[in-house]
Amino acid sequence: MAHMSVVRSPHAHARIRSIDTSAAMASKGVVAVLTAADFKPVIGGPLPVTNSFVADKKQVPEQFPIAADEVAMPGAGCSGRR
């Protein structure tokens, strides 16, 4: 049986510069470590979701199932976790 774990950003709003997956891949029992790059061929566009206005950006940001360049969690606390 395989289990999945999702690692979220510790920041409510940040740019993704890089993701180091080496420690996760070196862990015993890990089958795969996936990032947005792995899903790029199958993500056709943003999710059809309700509007969530981000005042700092003065717009409604597009929302994707996995962050690629930037994480933005409107309404999240300063820790970035809900």
Coordinates of all heavy atoms in Angstrom, one line a residue:
M1 N 0.8 -1.1 0.0 CA 0.0 0.0 0.0 C 0.9 1.2 0.0 O 1.9 1.3 0.7 CB -0.9 0.0 1.2 CG -1.8 1.2 1.3 SD -2.8 1.3 2.8 CE -3.7 -0.1 2.7
A2 N 0.6 2.2 -0.8 CA 1.3 3.4 -0.9 C 0.5 4.5 -0.2 O -0.7 4.5 -0.3 CB 1.6 3.8 -2.3
H3 N 1.2 5.4 0.5 CA 0.5 6.6 1.1 C 1.1 7.8 0.4 O 2.2 7.9 -0.1 CB 0.8 6.6 2.6 CG 0.2 5.5 3.3 ND1 -1.1 5.4 3.8 CD2 0.8 4.3 3.6 CE1 -1.3 4.3 4.4 NE2 -0.2 3.6 4.3
M4 N 0.3 8.9 0.5 CA 0.7 10.2 -0.1 C 0.8 11.2 0.9 O 0.0 11.3 1.9 CB -0.3 10.6 -1.2 CG 0.1 11.9 -1.9 SD -1.1 12.4 -3.1 CE -1.9 13.6 -2.2
S5 N 1.8 12.1 0.8 CA 2.0 13.2 1.7 C 2.2 14.5 0.8 O 2.9 14.4 -0.2 CB 3.2 13.0 2.6 OG 3.3 14.1 3.5
V6 N 1.5 15.5 1.2 CA 1.6 16.8 0.5 C 2.4 17.8 1.3 O 2.0 18.0 2.5 CB 0.2 17.4 0.1 CG1 0.4 18.7 -0.6 CG2 -0.5 16.4 -0.8
V7 N 3.4 18.4 0.8 CA 4.2 19.4 1.5 C 3.8 20.7 1.0 O 3.9 21.0 -0.2 CB 5.7 19.2 1.3 CG1 6.5 20.3 2.1 CG2 6.1 17.8 1.8
R8 N 3.2 21.6 1.9 CA 2.8 22.9 1.5 C 3.8 23.9 1.9 O 4.7 23.7 2.8 CB 1.5 23.2 2.2 CG 0.4 22.3 1.7 CD -0.9 22.7 2.3 NE -1.4 24.0 1.9 CZ -2.5 24.5 2.2 NH1 -3.3 23.9 3.0 NH2 -2.8 25.7 1.8
S9 N 3.8 25.1 1.3 CA 4.7 26.1 1.6 C 4.5 26.7 3.0 O 3.4 26.8 3.5 CB 4.5 27.3 0.6 OG 5.3 28.4 1.0
P10 N 5.6 27.0 3.7 CA 5.5 27.6 5.0 C 5.1 29.1 4.9 O 4.9 29.7 5.9 CB 6.8 27.4 5.7 CG 7.8 27.3 4.5 CD 7.0 26.7 3.4
H11 N 5.0 29.6 3.7 CA 4.7 31.0 3.5 C 3.4 31.2 2.8 O 3.1 30.4 1.9 CB 5.8 31.6 2.6 CG 7.2 31.4 3.2 ND1 7.7 32.0 4.3 CD2 8.2 30.6 2.8 CE1 8.9 31.6 4.5 NE2 9.2 30.7 3.6
A12 N 2.6 32.1 3.2 CA 1.3 32.4 2.6 C 1.4 32.9 1.2 O 0.6 32.7 0.4 CB 0.5 33.4 3.5
H13 N 2.5 33.6 0.9 CA 2.7 34.2 -0.4 C 4.2 34.3 -0.7 O 4.9 35.0 0.0 CB 2.1 35.6 -0.5 CG 2.0 36.1 -1.9 ND1 1.6 37.4 -2.2 CD2 2.2 35.5 -3.1 CE1 1.7 37.6 -3.5 NE2 2.0 36.5 -4.1
A14 N 4.6 33.5 -1.7 CA 6.1 33.5 -2.0 C 6.3 33.0 -3.4 O 5.5 32.3 -4.0 CB 6.8 32.6 -1.0
R15 N 7.4 33.4 -4.0 CA 7.9 32.9 -5.3 C 8.6 31.5 -5.0 O 9.4 31.4 -4.1 CB 8.8 33.8 -6.0 CG 8.1 35.0 -6.5 CD 8.7 35.4 -7.9 NE 8.1 36.7 -8.2 CZ 6.9 36.8 -8.7 NH1 6.1 35.8 -8.9 NH2 6.4 38.0 -9.0
I16 N 8.4 30.6 -5.9 CA 9.1 29.3 -5.9 C 10.4 29.5 -6.7 O 10.3 29.7 -7.9 CB 8.3 28.2 -6.4 CG1 7.0 28.0 -5.5 CG2 9.1 26.9 -6.4 CD1 6.0 27.0 -6.0
R17 N 11.5 29.5 -6.1 CA 12.8 29.6 -6.8 C 13.3 28.2 -7.2 O 13.8 28.0 -8.3 CB 13.9 30.3 -6.0 CG 13.5 31.7 -5.8 CD 14.7 32.4 -5.2 NE 14.3 33.7 -4.6 CZ 15.0 34.3 -3.7 NH1 16.1 33.8 -3.2 NH2 14.5 35.4 -3.1
S18 N 13.2 27.3 -6.3 CA 13.6 25.9 -6.5 C 13.0 25.0 -5.5 O 12.6 25.4 -4.4 CB 15.1 25.8 -6.5 OG 15.6 26.0 -5.2
I19 N 13.0 23.7 -5.8 CA 12.5 22.7 -4.8 C 13.5 21.6 -4.8 O 13.8 20.9 -5.9 CB 11.1 22.1 -5.2 CG1 10.1 23.3 -5.2 CG2 10.7 21.0 -4.3 CD1 8.7 22.9 -5.8
D20 N 14.1 21.3 -3.7 CA 15.1 20.3 -3.5 C 14.4 19.0 -3.0 O 13.9 18.9 -1.9 CB 16.2 20.7 -2.5 CG 17.3 19.7 -2.4 OD1 17.2 18.6 -3.1 OD2 18.2 19.9 -1.6
T21 N 14.3 18.0 -3.9 CA 13.6 16.8 -3.6 C 14.5 15.7 -3.2 O 14.1 14.6 -2.9 CB 12.8 16.3 -4.8 OG1 13.6 16.1 -5.9 CG2 11.7 17.4 -5.2
S22 N 15.8 16.0 -3.1 CA 16.8 14.9 -2.9 C 16.6 14.2 -1.5 O 16.7 13.0 -1.4 CB 18.3 15.4 -3.0 OG 18.5 16.5 -2.1
A23 N 16.4 14.9 -0.4 CA 16.2 14.3 0.9 C 14.9 13.4 0.9 O 15.0 12.3 1.4 CB 16.1 15.4 2.0
A24 N 13.9 13.9 0.2 CA 12.7 13.0 0.2 C 12.9 11.8 -0.6 O 12.5 10.7 -0.2 CB 11.5 13.8 -0.4
M25 N 13.6 11.9 -1.7 CA 13.8 10.7 -2.6 C 14.8 9.7 -1.9 O 14.7 8.5 -2.1 CB 14.4 11.1 -3.9 CG 13.4 11.6 -4.9 SD 12.0 10.5 -5.2 CE 12.9 9.1 -5.9
A26 N 15.7 10.2 -1.0 CA 16.6 9.4 -0.3 C 16.0 8.7 0.9 O 16.6 7.7 1.4 CB 17.8 10.2 0.1
S27 N 14.8 9.1 1.2 CA 14.1 8.5 2.4 C 13.6 7.1 2.1 O 13.2 6.8 1.0 CB 12.9 9.3 2.8 OG 13.3 10.6 3.2
K28 N 13.8 6.2 3.1 CA 13.4 4.8 2.9 C 11.9 4.7 2.6 O 11.0 5.3 3.2 CB 13.7 4.0 4.2 CG 13.3 2.6 4.2 CD 13.7 1.9 5.5 CE 13.2 0.4 5.4 NZ 13.4 -0.2 6.7
G29 N 11.6 3.9 1.6 CA 10.2 3.6 1.3 C 9.5 4.6 0.3 O 8.4 4.4 -0.1
V30 N 10.2 5.7 0.0 CA 9.6 6.7 -0.9 C 9.6 6.1 -2.3 O 10.6 5.7 -2.9 CB 10.4 8.0 -0.9 CG1 10.0 9.0 -2.0 CG2 10.3 8.7 0.5
V31 N 8.4 6.2 -2.9 CA 8.3 5.6 -4.3 C 8.5 6.7 -5.3 O 9.1 6.5 -6.4 CB 6.8 5.0 -4.4 CG1 6.6 4.5 -5.9 CG2 6.7 3.9 -3.5
A32 N 8.0 7.9 -5.1 CA 8.1 9.0 -6.0 C 8.0 10.4 -5.3 O 7.3 10.4 -4.2 CB 7.0 8.9 -7.1
V33 N 8.6 11.4 -5.8 CA 8.4 12.7 -5.4 C 8.0 13.5 -6.6 O 8.8 13.6 -7.6 CB 9.7 13.3 -4.8 CG1 9.6 14.7 -4.4 CG2 10.2 12.4 -3.6
L34 N 6.9 14.2 -6.6 CA 6.3 14.9 -7.7 C 6.3 16.4 -7.4 O 5.9 16.8 -6.3 CB 5.0 14.3 -8.1 CG 4.9 12.8 -8.3 CD1 3.5 12.4 -8.5 CD2 5.7 12.5 -9.6
T35 N 6.6 17.2 -8.4 CA 6.4 18.6 -8.3 C 5.6 19.1 -9.5 O 5.2 18.3 -10.3 CB 7.8 19.3 -8.4 OG1 8.4 19.1 -9.6 CG2 8.7 18.8 -7.3
A36 N 5.3 20.4 -9.6 CA 4.5 20.9 -10.7 C 5.1 20.5 -12.0 O 4.3 20.3 -13.0 CB 4.4 22.4 -10.5
A37 N 6.4 20.4 -12.2 CA 7.0 20.1 -13.5 C 6.5 18.7 -14.0 O 6.3 18.5 -15.1 CB 8.5 20.1 -13.3
D38 N 6.2 17.8 -13.0 CA 5.8 16.5 -13.4 C 4.3 16.5 -13.9 O 3.9 15.6 -14.7 CB 5.8 15.5 -12.2 CG 7.2 15.4 -11.7 OD1 8.1 14.9 -12.5 OD2 7.5 15.7 -10.5
F39 N 3.6 17.5 -13.5 CA 2.2 17.6 -13.9 C 1.9 18.5 -15.1 O 0.8 18.6 -15.6 CB 1.3 18.0 -12.7 CG 1.3 17.0 -11.6 CD1 2.0 17.2 -10.5 CD2 0.4 15.9 -11.7 CE1 2.0 16.3 -9.5 CE2 0.4 15.0 -10.7 CZ 1.2 15.1 -9.6
K40 N 3.0 19.3 -15.5 CA 2.8 20.3 -16.6 C 2.1 19.7 -17.8 O 1.3 20.4 -18.4 CB 4.2 20.9 -16.9 CG 4.1 22.1 -17.8 CD 5.4 22.8 -17.9 CE 5.2 24.1 -18.7 NZ 6.4 24.9 -18.6
P41 N 2.5 18.5 -18.3 CA 1.8 18.0 -19.5 C 0.3 17.7 -19.4 O -0.4 17.6 -20.4 CB 2.6 16.7 -19.8 CG 3.8 16.7 -19.0 CD 3.6 17.6 -17.8
V42 N -0.2 17.5 -18.2 CA -1.6 17.2 -18.0 C -2.4 18.3 -17.4 O -3.7 18.1 -17.3 CB -1.7 15.9 -17.1 CG1 -1.1 14.7 -17.9 CG2 -1.1 16.1 -15.8
I43 N -1.9 19.4 -17.0 CA -2.7 20.5 -16.5 C -3.0 21.4 -17.7 O -2.1 22.1 -18.2 CB -1.9 21.3 -15.3 CG1 -1.8 20.3 -14.2 CG2 -2.7 22.5 -14.9 CD1 -1.0 20.9 -13.0
G44 N -4.2 21.5 -18.0 CA -4.6 22.3 -19.2 C -4.9 23.7 -19.0 O -5.0 24.5 -19.9
G45 N -5.1 24.1 -17.7 CA -5.4 25.5 -17.4 C -5.8 25.6 -15.9 O -5.7 24.7 -15.2
P46 N -6.2 26.8 -15.6 CA -6.6 27.1 -14.2 C -7.9 26.3 -13.8 O -8.7 25.9 -14.7 CB -6.8 28.6 -14.1 CG -7.1 29.0 -15.5 CD -6.3 28.0 -16.4
L47 N -8.1 26.1 -12.5 CA -9.3 25.5 -12.0 C -10.5 26.4 -12.1 O -10.3 27.6 -11.9 CB -9.1 25.1 -10.5 CG -8.0 24.1 -10.2 CD1 -7.8 24.0 -8.7 CD2 -8.4 22.7 -10.8
P48 N -11.6 25.9 -12.4 CA -12.9 26.7 -12.4 C -13.3 26.8 -11.0 O -14.0 26.0 -10.4 CB -13.8 25.9 -13.2 CG -13.4 24.5 -13.1 CD -11.9 24.5 -12.8
V49 N -12.9 27.9 -10.3 CA -13.3 28.1 -8.9 C -13.9 29.5 -8.7 O -13.9 30.3 -9.6 CB -12.0 28.0 -8.0 CG1 -11.4 26.7 -8.0 CG2 -11.0 29.1 -8.4
T50 N -14.5 29.7 -7.6 CA -15.2 31.0 -7.3 C -14.1 32.0 -7.1 O -12.9 31.7 -6.8 CB -16.0 30.9 -6.0 OG1 -15.1 30.5 -4.9 CG2 -17.1 29.9 -6.1
N51 N -14.5 33.3 -7.3 CA -13.5 34.4 -7.2 C -13.1 34.5 -5.7 O -13.8 34.5 -4.8 CB -14.2 35.7 -7.6 CG -14.5 35.7 -9.1 OD1 -13.9 34.9 -9.8 ND2 -15.3 36.6 -9.5
S52 N -11.8 34.7 -5.6 CA -11.2 35.1 -4.3 C -10.2 36.2 -4.5 O -9.1 36.1 -4.9 CB -10.5 33.9 -3.6 OG -9.5 33.4 -4.5
F53 N -10.7 37.4 -4.3 CA -10.0 38.7 -4.6 C -8.7 38.8 -3.7 O -8.8 38.6 -2.5 CB -10.9 39.9 -4.5 CG -10.2 41.2 -4.9 CD1 -10.1 41.5 -6.2 CD2 -9.8 42.1 -3.9 CE1 -9.5 42.7 -6.6 CE2 -9.2 43.3 -4.3 CZ -9.1 43.6 -5.6
V54 N -7.6 39.1 -4.3 CA -6.4 39.3 -3.5 C -6.1 40.8 -3.6 O -5.7 41.3 -4.7 CB -5.2 38.5 -4.1 CG1 -3.9 38.8 -3.3 CG2 -5.5 37.0 -4.0
A55 N -6.3 41.5 -2.5 CA -6.2 43.0 -2.6 C -4.9 43.5 -3.0 O -4.8 44.5 -3.8 CB -6.6 43.5 -1.2
D56 N -3.8 42.9 -2.6 CA -2.5 43.4 -3.0 C -2.2 43.3 -4.5 O -1.5 44.1 -5.0 CB -1.4 42.5 -2.3 CG -1.4 42.7 -0.8 OD1 -2.0 43.7 -0.3 OD2 -0.7 41.9 -0.1
K57 N -2.8 42.4 -5.1 CA -2.6 42.2 -6.6 C -3.7 42.9 -7.4 O -3.6 43.0 -8.6 CB -2.6 40.7 -6.9 CG -1.4 40.0 -6.4 CD -1.4 38.6 -6.9 CE -0.1 38.0 -6.6 NZ 0.3 36.9 -7.5
K58 N -4.7 43.4 -6.8 CA -5.8 44.1 -7.4 C -6.5 43.2 -8.5 O -6.9 43.7 -9.5 CB -5.3 45.4 -8.0 CG -4.6 46.3 -7.1 CD -5.5 47.0 -6.1 CE -4.8 48.1 -5.3 NZ -4.4 47.7 -4.1
Q59 N -6.5 41.9 -8.3 CA -7.1 41.0 -9.3 C -7.5 39.7 -8.7 O -7.1 39.4 -7.6 CB -6.2 40.8 -10.5 CG -4.9 40.0 -10.0 CD -3.9 39.8 -11.2 OE1 -4.3 40.1 -12.3 NE2 -2.7 39.4 -10.9
V60 N -8.2 38.9 -9.4 CA -8.5 37.5 -9.0 C -7.5 36.6 -9.6 O -7.4 36.5 -10.8 CB -9.9 37.1 -9.4 CG1 -10.2 35.7 -9.0 CG2 -11.0 38.0 -8.8
P61 N -6.6 36.0 -8.8 CA -5.5 35.2 -9.5 C -6.1 33.9 -10.0 O -7.0 33.3 -9.5 CB -4.6 34.9 -8.3 CG -5.4 35.0 -7.1 CD -6.5 36.0 -7.4
E62 N -5.5 33.4 -11.0 CA -5.8 32.0 -11.5 C -5.3 31.0 -10.5 O -4.3 31.2 -9.8 CB -5.1 31.8 -12.9 CG -5.7 32.6 -14.0 CD -5.0 32.2 -15.3 OE1 -3.8 31.9 -15.3 OE2 -5.7 32.2 -16.3
Q63 N -6.1 30.0 -10.3 CA -5.7 28.9 -9.4 C -5.5 27.6 -10.1 O -6.3 27.2 -10.9 CB -6.9 28.8 -8.3 CG -7.0 30.1 -7.5 CD -8.1 30.0 -6.5 OE1 -8.6 28.9 -6.2 NE2 -8.6 31.1 -6.0
F64 N -4.4 27.0 -9.7 CA -4.0 25.7 -10.3 C -3.9 24.7 -9.2 O -3.8 25.0 -8.1 CB -2.6 25.9 -11.0 CG -2.7 26.7 -12.2 CD1 -2.5 28.1 -12.1 CD2 -2.9 26.2 -13.5 CE1 -2.6 28.9 -13.3 CE2 -3.0 27.0 -14.6 CZ -2.8 28.3 -14.5
P65 N -4.1 23.4 -9.6 CA -4.1 22.4 -8.6 C -2.7 22.2 -7.8 O -2.7 21.6 -6.8 CB -4.4 21.1 -9.3 CG -4.2 21.4 -10.8 CD -4.3 22.9 -10.9
I66 N -1.6 22.7 -8.4 CA -0.3 22.6 -7.8 C 0.5 23.8 -8.2 O 0.4 24.3 -9.3 CB 0.4 21.3 -8.2 CG1 1.7 21.1 -7.4 CG2 0.6 21.2 -9.7 CD1 2.4 19.8 -7.6
A67 N 1.2 24.4 -7.2 CA 1.9 25.7 -7.5 C 3.2 25.4 -8.3 O 3.9 24.4 -8.1 CB 2.3 26.3 -6.2
A68 N 3.4 26.2 -9.3 CA 4.6 26.1 -10.1 C 5.6 27.2 -9.9 O 6.8 27.0 -9.7 CB 4.2 26.0 -11.6
D69 N 5.1 28.5 -10.0 CA 6.0 29.6 -9.9 C 5.8 30.4 -8.6 O 6.7 31.1 -8.2 CB 5.8 30.5 -11.1 CG 6.1 29.8 -12.4 OD1 7.1 29.1 -12.5 OD2 5.2 30.0 -13.3
E70 N 4.6 30.4 -8.1 CA 4.3 31.2 -6.9 C 3.2 30.5 -6.1 O 2.3 29.9 -6.6 CB 3.7 32.5 -7.5 CG 3.2 33.5 -6.5 CD 2.6 34.7 -7.1 OE1 2.1 34.7 -8.3 OE2 2.6 35.8 -6.5
V71 N 3.4 30.6 -4.8 CA 2.3 30.2 -3.9 C 1.6 31.4 -3.3 O 2.2 32.4 -3.0 CB 2.9 29.3 -2.7 CG1 3.5 28.0 -3.2 CG2 3.9 30.1 -1.9
A72 N 0.3 31.3 -3.3 CA -0.6 32.3 -2.8 C -1.8 31.7 -2.1 O -2.6 31.0 -2.8 CB -1.0 33.3 -3.9
M73 N -1.9 31.8 -0.9 CA -3.0 31.2 -0.1 C -3.8 32.4 0.5 O -3.5 32.7 1.7 CB -2.5 30.2 0.9 CG -1.9 29.0 0.3 SD -1.3 27.8 1.5 CE 0.3 28.5 1.8
P74 N -4.7 33.0 -0.2 CA -5.5 34.1 0.4 C -6.3 33.6 1.7 O -6.8 32.5 1.7 CB -6.6 34.4 -0.7 CG -6.0 33.8 -1.9 CD -5.1 32.7 -1.5
G75 N -6.2 34.4 2.7 CA -6.9 34.1 3.9 C -6.1 33.2 4.9 O -6.5 33.0 6.0
A76 N -4.9 32.8 4.4 CA -4.1 31.9 5.3 C -3.5 32.8 6.4 O -3.2 34.0 6.1 CB -3.1 31.2 4.5
G77 N -3.2 32.2 7.5 CA -2.5 32.9 8.5 C -1.1 33.2 8.1 O -0.6 32.8 7.1
C78 N -0.3 33.9 9.0 CA 1.1 34.2 8.7 C 1.9 33.0 8.5 O 3.0 33.1 7.9 CB 1.6 35.2 9.7 SG 1.7 34.5 11.3
S79 N 1.5 31.9 9.0 CA 2.3 30.7 8.8 C 2.1 30.0 7.5 O 2.8 29.2 7.1 CB 2.0 29.6 9.9 OG 0.7 29.1 9.7
G80 N 1.0 30.4 6.8 CA 0.7 29.9 5.5 C -0.1 28.6 5.6 O -0.3 27.9 4.6
R81 N -0.4 28.1 6.8 CA -1.2 26.9 6.9 C -2.6 27.2 7.4 O -2.8 28.1 8.2 CB -0.5 26.0 7.9 CG 0.9 25.6 7.4 CD 1.7 24.9 8.4 NE 3.0 24.8 7.9 CZ 3.8 23.8 8.1 NH1 3.4 22.8 8.7 NH2 5.0 23.8 7.6
R82 N -3.6 26.4 6.9 CA -4.9 26.6 7.3 C -5.3 25.7 8.4 O -4.9 24.6 8.6 CB -5.9 26.4 6.1 CG -5.6 27.4 5.0 CD -6.6 27.1 3.9 NE -6.1 27.9 2.8 CZ -6.8 28.1 1.7 NH1 -8.0 27.7 1.6 NH2 -6.4 28.9 0.8

